[in-house]
Amino acid sequence: MTHDHAHTEDFSQHFTAEFWDARYATGSIWSGNPNPVLVEKVESLTPGTALEVGSGEGADAIWLATRGWNVTAIDVSTVALARAAEHAAAGGTAIASRITWQQADVANWDPAPHRYDLISAQFMHLPRPMLTALHRRLAAAVRPGGTLLIVNHHPADLETTMQRPNIADMFATAEEMAHVLEPGQWSIETSAPKRQAVDPEGNTITISDTVLQAVRKVDA
């Protein structure tokens, strides 16, 4: 049974450029820090070409650029992209020149196959058919030897007091997300790390992330 605070309204509007442009127009909505799982999983990788999906205000893309990655950062919101570009420019030309900001709707955007050494999608919550289709397209765009890193909120969060949409179809375990990958072509790691968070009532609780890290085999 899920908690009463979870939302049950129609969330279809939340997947539009208009919704996110309006939300970002109210001001910064994220911390400005890179996602911890991205830092943990990527800091030891050799920099190359990276795709940051749902780049928001640019913290992850900027962190990757500071590590030497050449980044394509996509988001549905032009407002978010403009703010992210400002943040990157503030870090200096060496960082800003490594990032290409691109408006794209992940519902139908398709990157070129075997193009990126790293693809990162952090907390991209979509209805399951859309999410599965997106993950298939992203997987196809990973080069041999490249890494696909997907991080989402875990379905178990629906049983906590953390404010999550009451739509089970928008949440999946890492094992479920890995179904889009052909095991013979990938080295796959799945996990559900726990972390502390503060719920809407100000209580410190334990929540979980869904983490899928997969490396495309070179000889597959």
Side-chain angles (χ1 to χ4, degrees):
M1 185 170 87
T2 57
H3 290 267
D4 292 339
H5 69 272
H7 297 300
T8 57
E9 69 263 24
D10 179 12
F11 266 72
S12 59
Q13 63 171 327
H14 291 210
F15 312 126
T16 66
E18 292 78 11
F19 172 86
W20 286 103
D21 280 346
R23 187 173 180 192
Y24 281 113
T26 65
S28 295
I29 59 178
W30 308 121
S31 70
N33 300 317
N35 280 297
V37 175
L38 174 72
V39 174
E40 175 191 348
K41 299 294 186 181
V42 174
E43 62 183 351
S44 63
L45 299 182
T46 300
T49 56
L51 174 65
E52 174 61 25
V53 183
S55 54
E57 293 165 327
D60 286 355
I62 292 169
W63 181 83
L64 287 167
T66 64
R67 304 289 296 184
W69 293 85
N70 294 310
V71 187
T72 298
I74 69 166
D75 200 279
V76 71
S77 171
T78 56
V79 177
L81 290 167
R83 184 171 299 142
E86 291 178 358
H87 292 165
T93 303
I95 293 175
S97 64
R98 289 186 175 276
I99 309 173
T100 299
W101 305 102
Q102 180 179 340
Q103 195 278 339
D105 185 345
V106 297
N108 50 43
W109 182 76
D110 192 359
H114 291 191
R115 181 175 179 181
Y116 297 99
D117 299 302
L118 169 68
I119 294 182
S120 171
Q122 304 277 322
F123 302 104
M124 292 290 300
H125 285 276
L126 300 167
R128 187 67 62 87
M130 291 175 61
L131 189 67
T132 299
L134 171 63
H135 288 170
R136 290 189 188 281
R137 294 194 301 271
L138 297 183
V142 178
R143 286 176 175 163
T147 298
L148 175 66
L149 178 64
I150 300 172
V151 183
N152 276 346
H153 298 301
H154 196 278
D157 283 4
L158 293 172
E159 303 297 329
T160 73
T161 53
M162 182 56 71
Q163 195 169 32
R164 301 281 187 243
N166 189 14
I167 306 174
D169 190 50
M170 288 177 60
F171 298 84
T173 66
E175 291 76 17
E176 289 170 332
M177 294 193 302
H179 286 169
V180 303
L181 305 176
E182 172 56 51
Q185 298 179 3
W186 297 84
S187 296
I188 301 170
E189 295 183 8
T190 59
S191 61
K194 298 182 183 298
R195 58 187 171 93
Q196 298 297 295
V198 178
D199 72 7
E201 289 76 40
N203 302 308
T204 299
I205 63 172
T206 300
I207 61 175
S208 302
D209 291 330
T210 290
V211 180
L212 169 62
Q213 182 179 18
V215 177
R216 183 184 286 278
K217 296 178 180 180
V218 175
D219 55 355

